[in-house]
Each structure stands twice: as structure tokens, then as C-alpha cells.
Amino acid sequence: MSLPLLRRDRITVRLARPELSVRVRPRLVLVCLILALLVFLLGCLGMTIGDVPLGLSDVLSAVFGAGDAGATYIVQDLRMPRALTGLLAGAAFGASGAVFQTITRNPLASPDMIGINAGAATAVVAGIGFGFGDGLGTTTLGLLGGLLTGLLVYVLAWRRGTTGYRILLVGIGVYAMATSLTDYLLSRANITDAQASIGWLVGNLANRGWENVIPLLIAFAVLCSVALGLSRLMGTLQLGDEVAAGLGTPVQPVRLGLMLAGAGLVAFATASAGPIAFVALTAPQIAQRLARLPAPPITASALGGAVLVLGSDIIARVITPSGLPVGIVTGALGAPVLLWLLIRANRSGSGG
């Protein structure tokens, strides 16, 4: 093994046999460790809240199967699925936001803004309104709607290839159309169907079970691995398509693979927890600034998204006894971040 090459922002270790080079960024590792600890603490703290209050020590014991039978049942069977759904959905939104913001080279290009969440919402509302949602279920409808919307954005943005700028502009148009169609369907639905739709549209973690956790866990493990595997090539896209192609990066296949992975993450997260607002927009920007990197890091963005969703869910349940939907809190917290990004883009001359 060769000696590590030290720089202030990274450490590179090279092995002679087998030939391997590993680059470690100490600050990024520290940020990920701190965020992971926050995720665990917030998840456990959220499981103390409910009709039967539990202490943090009781929850910790029940998580590891060392508590009494009653507390273990409450935590593992009733409250842990909600916490894990929030954790995985937040992580999926955060990782997807990092992917889209990197391939488009625009901090505003999150799945919220380019219509993937809106497409999933339209599919669910249409299923509830026209009656075929009972057979497919909101999870399947949200998944199909999100995936088809992501593919539609890519196809419409194609003109001898795609660019981040066209993806963003087409996505904004698709978002507007999907949102208008959702509003129309809600206006034509009866009051019962409208209430059922709105309860899902704002993003909600209530009444989540293991049937929501398992598909999301499998999808997150597969799709996030794909995104991380392409992350080295994704970094070259930051240099522009011509430079990336000159460096040997197959630009269009890499961009398509990343878009499908990002859209899949959003689709599964939306199908499980609803279109939780602004997490995919804010988590990557927070992670990028904490790690002091030129682009949002996928792992830190995923952990940051989990922190945002779990923390917002705690706030929502503390504010009102019945508990607000988590999407209302993330929307209230994320809106100022969006305004700040717009102001910053205008000041830097990139806001149009």
C-alpha cells in the first residue's frame, strides 16, 4: 500500500495490489456520521409520541428487543413502520434531489419542480376519482404516475440528446399541466373522494405499516446503489456535456440512467408517503453547504432528507394532538429556502 496523499479537503489512498485508489473526504464523512446520528435519535424520539407515551429509554430497549412485551409491541409493530417510512422516504427524496440538481447543474431542479411528484399525485387522484384506485391502490398508482412522468420529461426534452436546461424547462411545464389536471379532478370529485385525495396529496406518515416499508426499502437499496455507482461519472456532467464527452463519459446513457434512478426513488417514496414537499429541494442544498462541496453529495443528501422528514413529523405531532400531515411542516420550512435560492440565483446572474 502506498502512503496516503494528504490535502486539506481529501485523503487519497492508493493500493499497488490490487490496483485501487480510494478518495476520502474527512469533512463529508464527519457530516454523514453526524446526520446518521440525528436520524437515529429523531427516529427514536418520534416513537415516544402516541396515545401511549413512552420514555426514550423504553423505546431504545424495545428497538433492540430488550423491553417489556407491551412496549416492544407498541414500538416494533405500531410505531417503527411509521418511523422507517419517514426515514426511507426522506432519504429517497434527498438522494433524488441531489441527482437531479447535479445532472441539470441547477439548485432549483428538484423532483418537486420538474413534475415527478405532481405526476404521481395526478395518478392517485385520478384513480380515486374514477374508481380504479381501489384495485391498484394509491401505492401502485403513485409509483406508476411518478415513473411515467419522469420518462415523459426525458422524452419531451430529447432533441438529439438532452441537456439539464431542457430537462428543467420541460419539467416545469409538465409540473404545471399535472397540477392543473389534479386541481380539475379534485373540483369534479365528490366530497368523500376529494377528502381521501387531499389526505394523501399533502404527504402523510399516519397509519403506515410494514407493507409500506418493505417495498420502499428494497427500491431504495437498489436505486440508490445505481445512483452511487454512476456518481463518479455524474461528477463529470458538472463540467458540461462537451467536456464530459471529451473525458470519455457516455453523456446520454449516464444522464438517462441517473434520471431513471432519481425518478424511481421519488416514485417509490411518493407512493409510500405522498408527495412530501420541498425535501428533495432543500436536503441536497443543506448537505452541499455542510460538506462544502461543488455539488450535492448523494449520501449526505439522503441522510439530510431523512432528518428533515423525521424532524418535521415530530413537529407536526407536537403542534396539534391529532397531528398535522408532515408535508405541511416541510412545506412551511422549505418555502423560505426556495425563496433564498431564487434570490441567490438572481444575484449571481443565473436566475434569468
Side-chain angles (χ1 to χ4, degrees):
M1 183 180 74
S2 64
L3 292 175
L5 304 178
L6 302 178
R7 283 188 53 177
R8 186 172 66 179
D9 60 340
R10 65 177 181 262
I11 299 173
T12 303
V13 179
R14 291 180 181 147
L15 301 177
R17 293 182 181 179
E19 293 185 3
L20 180 65
S21 178
V22 179
R23 183 173 62 185
V24 179
R25 297 183 183 272
R27 184 181 180 89
L28 177 59
V29 172
L30 179 61
V31 168
C32 289
L33 289 175
I34 293 173
L35 290 174
L37 179 60
L38 281 174
V39 168
F40 178 75
L41 292 176
L42 288 172
C44 292
L45 184 61
M47 286 188 284
T48 65
I49 303 172
D51 294 334
V52 179
L54 295 174
L56 186 58
S57 60
D58 297 327
V59 170
L60 289 172
S61 299
V63 166
F64 297 105
D68 63 80
T72 301
Y73 170 75
I74 292 173
V75 170
Q76 294 190 0
D77 290 6
L78 302 181
R79 298 183 184 177
M80 190 178 290
R82 176 178 184 142
L84 289 178
T85 301
L87 188 160
L88 291 169
F93 282 124
S96 178
V99 168
F100 279 103
Q101 290 177 12
T102 300
I103 64 176
T104 60
R105 293 187 292 168
N106 193 312
L108 298 176
S110 74
D112 309 83
M113 307 299 293
I114 65 175
I116 297 177
N117 289 15
T122 301
V124 171
V125 173
I128 294 174
F130 292 112
F132 56 83
D134 294 335
L136 293 175
T138 57
T139 299
T140 304
L141 288 171
L143 176 60
L144 291 176
L147 290 175
L148 290 176
T149 304
L151 185 60
L152 177 64
V153 170
Y154 187 84
V155 170
L156 293 178
W158 181 270
R159 191 179 64 190
R160 296 189 301 274
T162 61
T163 64
Y165 182 71
R166 285 207 300 273
I167 289 172
L168 179 60
L169 288 181
V170 170
I172 292 173
V174 171
Y175 167 81
M177 290 189 294
T179 302
S180 298
L181 181 57
T182 300
D183 292 340
Y184 171 76
L185 291 173
L186 286 174
S187 68
R188 303 294 295 178
N190 60 56
I191 188 64
T192 303
D193 291 341
Q195 287 179 338
S197 301
I198 292 174
W200 183 88
L201 283 173
V202 293
N204 205 331
L205 297 178
N207 302 319
R208 294 304 183 263
W210 289 106
E211 68 276 7
N212 301 107
V213 175
I214 301 302
L216 182 55
L217 176 61
I218 296 172
F220 179 79
V222 173
L223 295 173
C224 195
S225 297
V226 172
L228 289 171
L230 294 173
S231 61
R232 182 181 63 85
L233 297 176
M234 182 173 68
T236 63
L237 297 180
Q238 287 285 101
L239 305 174
D241 289 2
E242 293 182 359
V243 175
L247 293 173
T249 300
V251 175
Q252 297 306 327
V254 169
R255 181 173 284 128
L256 175 60
L258 288 168
M259 273 202 67
L260 291 177
L265 285 168
V266 171
F268 274 97
T270 303
S272 297
I276 303 176
F278 287 120
V279 176
L281 176 71
T282 57
Q285 292 302 305
I286 293 171
Q288 179 180 350
R289 280 153 182 77
L290 289 175
R292 295 180 182 174
L293 294 175
I298 293 177
T299 304
S301 299
L303 291 169
V307 169
L308 286 175
V309 172
L310 291 174
S312 298
D313 188 43
I314 292 174
I315 294 173
R317 286 187 283 168
V318 168
I319 290 177
T320 60
S322 58
L324 289 172
V326 65
I328 293 178
V329 179
T330 60
L333 296 177
V337 177
L338 174 60
L339 293 175
W340 174 75
L341 288 173
L342 289 170
I343 294 171
R344 187 172 178 270
N346 283 330
R347 286 180 177 175
S348 65
S350 61

